[in-house]
Amino acid sequence: MKWNSDLYDNKHSFVAEYGKSLIEFVNVEKNQKILDLGCGTGRLTNELVKNGATVIGIDSSADMIKKAKLNYPNLNFQVADATNLDFKNYFDTVFSNAVFHWIPNQEKLLYSIYNSLKDNGKLICEFGAKNNVYQIQTGFEKALKQNGYSYYSEFFLPSKEEYKLLLEKAGFEIEHIIEYDRPTPLADGEKGLRNWICQFFASYLSNIPYEEMEQILCETEKFCKNSIWKENQWIADYRRIQIIAVKNKG
């Protein structure tokens, strides 16, 4: 997945805005060491440091980290692989918003996070649940097929029951886990859905000629119009899992 950090900041600020509510679960006092896993352009990293916590923001995208360093030059950002963290028993909290659904190897991810946490340290995260953006994925798949292309979802989207088992297998004790609908308005009026697709489905469009890409975008909008176009705005059919889990010493 190749990320466009400018498009992400300008048209998809809702990702960070929704993530702010997740910070309410985090102890952000100055004695805390926090990892912002999948920090993107750094907006939530900046929120996490406001009460004096020591925060490191990591992302696999060099473009995102470059933009984060420009946005917040005094903060600590690093390009890193979340499934292979270099930290051992270091963090009080691993925080992550809207990231896990992009990572195929969840067992390796959770093992990496578990090892990076101190005993009784917490994983606090939120990401896509089963049937997240189902209408968008379905419309996009139809449009691709009509133009001779295929679609295979890149997302990992479990139910809370499925993810509970993965957490327990990794050694976590679950304090809180919910799965819920979160209809999400997309910015920029009629252009909202195509902006979303150009950001989050960029890998499918990167090798498609411009005229065909425009056709696919128009057809996706047509397929999705009846389901997620409401009152002159696209409302993405997001579903989320929200988790607080503790590293179990045993």
Side-chain angles (χ1 to χ4, degrees), residues 81-109:
D81 177 0
T83 67
N84 191 27
L85 297 171
D86 291 332
F87 306 95
K88 301 297 179 186
N89 304 313
Y90 185 79
F91 294 106
D92 296 286
T93 301
V94 172
F95 172 89
S96 185
N97 178 58
V99 177
F100 282 22
H101 49 253
W102 294 107
I103 301 175
N105 193 334
Q106 292 289 310
E107 290 188 358
K108 191 175 181 182
L109 170 66

Side-chain angles (χ1 to χ4, degrees), residues 229-240:
W229 175 257
K230 298 174 183 178
E231 297 179 0
N232 299 314
Q233 189 175 37
W234 293 104
I235 309 291
D237 54 326
Y238 273 53
R239 300 196 74 251
R240 307 319 257 181

Side-chain angles (χ1 to χ4, degrees), residues 133-140 183-186 189 192-194 196-197 220-238:
V133 292
Y134 176 81
Q135 297 296 338
I136 297 176
Q137 289 196 81
T138 301
F140 186 65
T184 301
L186 302 181
L193 181 57
R194 65 173 49 214
W196 191 98
I197 292 168
T220 304
E221 289 170 335
K222 180 180 177 182
F223 288 133
C224 292
K225 199 83 173 183
N226 288 336
S227 58
I228 62 170
W229 175 257
K230 298 174 183 178
E231 297 179 0
N232 299 314
Q233 189 175 37
W234 293 104
I235 309 291
D237 54 326
Y238 273 53

